[in-house]
Amino acid sequence: DAGVIQSPRHEVTEMGQEVTLRCKPISGHDYLFWYRQTMMRGLELLIYFNNNVPIDDSGMPEDRFSAKMPNASFSTLKIQPSEPRDSAVYFCASSGETSGSGFFGPGTRLTVL
Amino acid sequence: GENVEQHPSTLSVQEGDSAVIKCTYSDSASNYFPWYKQELGKGPQLIIDIRSNVGEKKDQRIAVTLNKTAKHFSLHITETQPEDSAVYFCAAHGSARQLTFGSGTQLTVLP
């Protein structure tokens, strides 16, 4: 298995633009997690899905952030409009169990100018 | 909610020595404690985990101990090697039904 796949690996955009991050989880995993990592706040859970259904989105910082999982093999995290403080590394992880101790993707480094 | 504190934030050891990283948690309902290793430019990788019904778990040079009464758990790496250099994160899974991560420890193994 190729592991969790994320794209793009790097994204540089200007403030106000829409950003879409993509994730393909490991086949057969029922849980998918989106995390954000910054120096100031460390690793934060943004949202997670179980069987394609959003379970807990309390970590989503603002209405500018949205996430979808249209099927078991694909998820997106969208930021619209983006702001400089959204600059971070965004990780997608998938797991076969609710503990979330799953496999992380390589991350998307987002820079908003 | 859960609060996980991790110490130290940086740790340097000589190759061959042992390294110990400690974490405390606040939610007494937490029952699962994974440890992750993150290398530069990569995502965190699960290296070992322990559940609340076990006090210690070992996997080759890595061991984790858990003290539920004191609400702390530790990662022990023996016979450290330069390739062990990375950032290590502890985490706890509790009543919030999600992982809460510690702030990370930058481990440097000096040759």
Side-chain angles (χ1 to χ4, degrees):
Chain A
D1 199 320
V4 176
I5 299 172
Q6 291 187 247
S7 64
R9 293 294 313 277
H10 302 273
E11 176 80 34
V12 179
T13 190
E14 293 189 347
M15 182 173 63
Q17 296 297 306
E18 177 179 298
V19 175
T20 299
L21 311 182
R22 297 173 175 79
C23 175
K24 176 177 167 53
I26 292 172
S27 177
H29 280 184
D30 298 331
Y31 292 86
L32 184 140
F33 304 81
W34 282 101
Y35 290 91
R36 179 172 67 176
Q37 186 176 40
T38 62
M39 288 296 294
M40 290 297 295
R41 301 176 66 90
L43 266 167
E44 303 174 277
L45 177 67
L46 300 177
I47 184 172
Y48 79 92
F49 296 82
N50 179 212
N51 291 323
N52 313 339
V53 176
I55 302 300
D56 185 349
D57 65 354
S58 59
M60 297 285 261
E62 301 170 33
D63 291 345
R64 298 184 295 105
F65 286 68
S66 63
K68 293 182 179 179
M69 192 166 185
N71 58 62
S73 58
F74 184 65
S75 177
T76 60
L77 178 67
K78 187 176 292 187
I79 308 172
Q80 166 64 16
S82 58
E83 296 183 2
R85 59 194 168 117
D86 301 330
S87 298
V89 181
Y90 291 81
F91 289 104
C92 175
S94 72
S95 173
E97 54 177 292
T98 187
S99 66
S101 65
F103 297 85
F104 279 73
T108 295
R109 180 173 294 277
L110 173 65
T111 302
V112 183
L113 303 174
Chain B
E2 175 70 278
N3 182 45
V4 177
E5 295 193 357
Q6 183 172 345
H7 300 281
S9 57
T10 61
L11 179 60
S12 293
V13 299
Q14 289 293 136
E15 183 177 357
D17 287 350
S18 296
V20 180
I21 302 170
K22 298 181 180 182
C23 289
T24 60
Y25 62 97
S26 60
D27 184 355
S28 56
S30 290
N31 57 9
Y32 177 69
F33 308 91
W35 284 88
Y36 290 84
K37 175 183 181 182
Q38 186 176 22
E39 296 175 321
L40 199 60
K42 297 184 178 180
Q45 177 189 13
L46 178 68
I47 56 172
I48 195 168
D49 56 14
I50 191 168
R51 297 190 184 272
S52 58
N53 58 347
V54 175
E56 183 175 0
K57 184 177 179 181
K58 232 179 174 181
D59 182 4
Q60 299 181 2
R61 296 186 297 109
I62 295 174
V64 58
T65 58
L66 171 65
N67 183 327
K68 283 216 73 179
T69 303
K71 289 192 274 188
H72 66 70
F73 56 113
S74 301
L75 177 71
H76 303 253
I77 306 174
T78 59
E79 300 173 26
T80 53
Q81 301 167 3
E83 51 264 38
D84 294 330
S85 295
V87 179
Y88 291 80
F89 292 95
C90 62
H93 185 266
S95 53
R97 302 181 66 186
Q98 59 180 260
L99 282 178
T100 301
F101 285 84
S103 54
T105 297
Q106 173 70 62
L107 173 65
T108 302
V109 180
L110 305 169

